[in-house]
Structures are given as structure tokens and as C-alpha cells.
Amino acid sequence: MISILTSLFAPSSLLSQTTDTRRQASLTIYVTNRTANGTATVNDEVLVTIYVQRKPTQTLKGNIDSQGKVVFENVPTGNNITALPRIKHQNMMFNGHPIALKAGQTVFDGHVEVYEVSTDKSKLSVTVHHFIMKVEADSLRITEYMRLNNSSDMAITSAEKDGNDKTKVIEAMLPVGFKDLALSKYFQENALVITKDGFYDTMAIPPGQYDAEFSYSLEIDSETIDIIKKISLPTSDFMIFSSLDKGRVKGLGDSKGEMKSADGSSVEYFSFPELKAAEQIKFQAVGFNIKKSNSNVLIILSVVFAMIAVLVIWRLRGQKS
């Protein structure tokens, strides 16, 4: 009888112990304003989203006290449970690093850095910009790599807004006819607005340097593809890399040389130092072999047969008359 009661109440007792352990856990978030002579962060709103197996389950809310911190009690812990802190300063959200809320631990700390917010985009630039071209199936695949630079000690947003009140912080102007845009680094899909001319990022950029990378395709629909690349920010070093056969890039002058790619193929490159915002680089990729698609062949055959049918009808009418 005792063994039966033990087996019945053991799960309940274990659950109670687990719950008690979780209720004892506390999470302290510290905040630091990294802008020189920045405003105080007292009463800034803090949001902590709890993730269980990478899925958000709840959001804790609090405010920074006079000591530059906020404490959350009764924080859940366990395997695959993490916390992501965010702080709203000057109407701008700043993210901290994820915090693993490991089972058995009762005290956790996190830290978030905030900055004063500026709309002065003159401090934004690109130190290195690579424009890489290669052929994939019936498309010219282009990968762009940019090292973004914010030389100030403030988070920079923009005074320019679109019709939906979204800020245009960093713009990327892409060649006409681009498609299949894919983001690899820095840019986040939910923060981008894509247009027929390219895209712009709506998030403020904190101080420092950040590597951004994205790619897209241009359809190969003729022997020559005209490409115009417009520069969005002052750029210290812009380079075009072509894995096409030598001499198939026109309009850029003589190349600076060739190098070997990771797969051993030869890559021709061109260099353009110190470009200003709004400058354009115009060139052509030439020498493509265009294969007529089956649909085009069918259209041509249909026209031919239609003409034959008209001729037959005309002759038959002539014979009857």
C-alpha cells in the first residue's frame, strides 16, 4: 500500500520541487549608455522575452532603476530556455545577448548597451564593397559584400521616412531587373523594404563596423547585359570580381589582375577607390549564348502554321470562284 501511494504521489512531489526551483531564479539586467555625456537611462523600459526551444513563450516588463538595473523574479529555468533582453531608449530598441537560463542556477545576469540616437547620416560610410559576379544556370548571380561603418558614438537613424512612416537608414541600389534577393549577414528581412530599385533598411545602426552580405540574380536574356551600380554611401574601396571568361566585362577599363577563387577558378577584378554617394558605375557583361526556349519555338511554329492555313483557304476560295 505504501509503495502504491509513493508511486502515485512521486510525480506530484517532483513537479512541486521543479516549480519551487524555478520560482527562486532571478534575472538582473544592467544597462550602460555608451554615448559620451548621454542622457540617463532611469525609467527606460526593459523587455525580456523568454524562449523555450527557440519559441517565444512570454515577455517580462520592467524599468531601469537609479542604479542602472532592473531585477526580474520568478524567472523560469531549464534546458533550452533562454532570455533575450531589450531596452527602449529614446524611442529606439537596443538588443542584448541571449541568456541561457540553465536548470539548477538561481541567479542570472545580462547586460545591454544603449546609445543616444542621431539622424546625422554623415558619419555613415562603407570601408570595403565587393561586387562579385558568376553564372548560375540561365542567370547572372551577383553577391555584394559591404563593411558598414558608423564612426560616431551614437546610434544613427534617418530623418527621411517613407509613406508608411518607416525610416530609410541604409539604402542599397541594385541593377535594373534584379530578382531572388537573399540576405546572408547583418540585414534582417523584417526590417527591410524592397523596391523596384533595390531595398532600404529601417533599423538604426549602432557605432562600429558591421559586415553585410546579400545576393540576387539578373536574368540572361540577351548576349549583352547592361549593369548600372549606384553607390549609396561614401565608399573607400569598391571592387568588382568577375568569374566570367576574361574579356567578357566591358566598360571598366583594364582589370587590375586575376586571382584564384576557392574552387581554383580564375577571377578577374577591377578596383575603384574613394567613391562618393550617388556615383554610378556602368559596365556590360557580354558574350552570352542565348538558347531559344521551347515556348519561343512553339510560338514561331504557330505563326508559320497560321500563315499556311490562311494561304490554303485563299487558294481554295480561288479554285471555287
Side-chain angles (χ1 to χ4, degrees):
M1 184 68 174
I2 295 176
S3 61
I4 295 174
L5 289 173
T6 303
S7 62
L8 285 172
F9 288 100
S12 176
S13 175
L14 181 61
L15 179 62
S16 177
Q17 291 175 6
T18 304
T19 304
D20 290 343
T21 302
R22 288 183 175 183
R23 285 179 178 172
Q24 294 174 2
S26 66
L27 171 63
T28 303
I29 303 297
Y30 297 90
V31 61
T32 304
N33 191 333
R34 290 297 185 187
T35 300
N37 302 317
T39 59
T41 59
V42 177
N43 291 326
D44 279 359
E45 185 180 30
V46 181
L47 303 175
V48 177
T49 303
I50 305 298
Y51 291 84
V52 178
Q53 295 182 347
R54 299 184 180 182
K55 294 182 180 180
T57 58
Q58 60 176 309
T59 298
L60 311 177
K61 296 182 180 182
N63 297 91
I64 299 297
D65 62 19
S66 59
Q67 296 179 337
K69 63 181 177 64
V70 59
V71 181
F72 296 96
E73 301 289 353
N74 303 325
V75 177
T77 62
N79 295 331
N80 298 317
I81 298 181
T82 56
L84 180 64
R86 293 174 295 158
I87 294 179
K88 189 175 184 180
H89 181 69
Q90 290 193 345
N91 292 320
M92 190 70 64
M93 277 294 185
F94 296 90
N95 293 340
H97 294 290
I99 304 162
L101 303 176
K102 299 178 181 179
Q105 188 173 334
T106 58
V107 178
F108 300 90
D109 291 334
H111 183 234
V112 181
E113 295 180 348
V114 301
Y115 304 89
E116 299 301 290
V117 180
S118 170
T119 58
D120 180 10
K121 294 172 64 174
S122 65
K123 298 296 184 179
L124 294 182
S125 64
V126 175
T127 58
V128 176
H129 192 151
H130 291 170
F131 187 96
I132 306 162
M133 299 184 296
K134 65 178 181 178
V135 175
E136 289 186 357
D138 59 350
S139 297
L140 186 64
R141 191 68 184 175
I142 297 173
T143 299
E144 294 197 36
Y145 162 82
M146 306 167 66
R147 176 159 289 174
L148 303 169
N149 180 49
N150 176 359
S151 60
S152 73
D153 65 347
M154 306 179 77
I156 295 180
T157 182
S158 174
E160 184 182 4
K161 295 186 178 182
D162 62 14
N164 296 317
D165 203 36
K166 291 185 177 181
T167 54
K168 296 183 177 182
V169 182
I170 297 174
E171 293 187 76
M173 308 303 292
L174 308 184
V176 174
F178 79 93
K179 63 179 183 178
D180 301 329
L181 177 66
L183 309 173
S184 302
K185 293 181 181 178
Y186 183 76
F187 294 117
Q188 299 178 22
E189 187 174 357
N190 60 356
L192 292 189
V193 175
I194 300 174
T195 70
K196 64 180 182 62
D197 300 317
F199 64 85
Y200 54 88
D201 189 21
T202 61
M203 290 198 310
I205 177 171
Q209 293 190 344
Y210 304 90
D211 291 338
E213 186 177 325
F214 54 91
S215 61
Y216 51 90
S217 295
L218 297 177
E219 185 178 356
I220 299 176
D221 55 3
S222 64
E223 295 182 0
T224 299
I225 299 177
D226 295 313
I227 300 174
I228 300 176
K229 176 60 186 177
K230 186 175 181 180
I231 303 303
S232 302
L233 292 170
T235 301
S236 300
D237 188 15
F238 185 91
M239 298 183 72
I240 294 176
F241 296 87
S242 169
S243 62
L244 310 177
D245 293 337
K246 188 175 181 180
R248 291 180 63 185
V249 175
K250 302 291 185 181
L252 295 177
D254 296 331
S255 70
K256 297 298 181 181
E258 294 184 14
M259 60 178 64
K260 294 293 182 181
S261 64
D263 60 4
S265 61
S266 181
V267 178
E268 191 177 22
Y269 67 93
F270 305 80
S271 181
F272 302 86
E274 301 301 333
L275 295 176
K276 297 178 181 178
E279 280 196 65
Q280 293 183 347
I281 299 177
K282 300 179 180 181
F283 61 100
Q284 296 176 322
V286 303
F288 296 106
N289 294 322
I290 306 302
K291 296 179 180 179
K292 298 295 183 182
S293 66
N294 292 333
S295 59
N296 289 339
V297 173
L298 288 174
I299 291 171
I300 293 170
L301 288 175
S302 298
V303 172
V304 171
F305 284 128
M307 291 176 66
I308 292 173
V310 169
L311 241 130
V312 170
I313 292 170
W314 180 76
R315 285 185 178 180
L316 287 173
R317 284 183 177 178
Q319 288 175 2
K320 287 181 180 179
S321 61

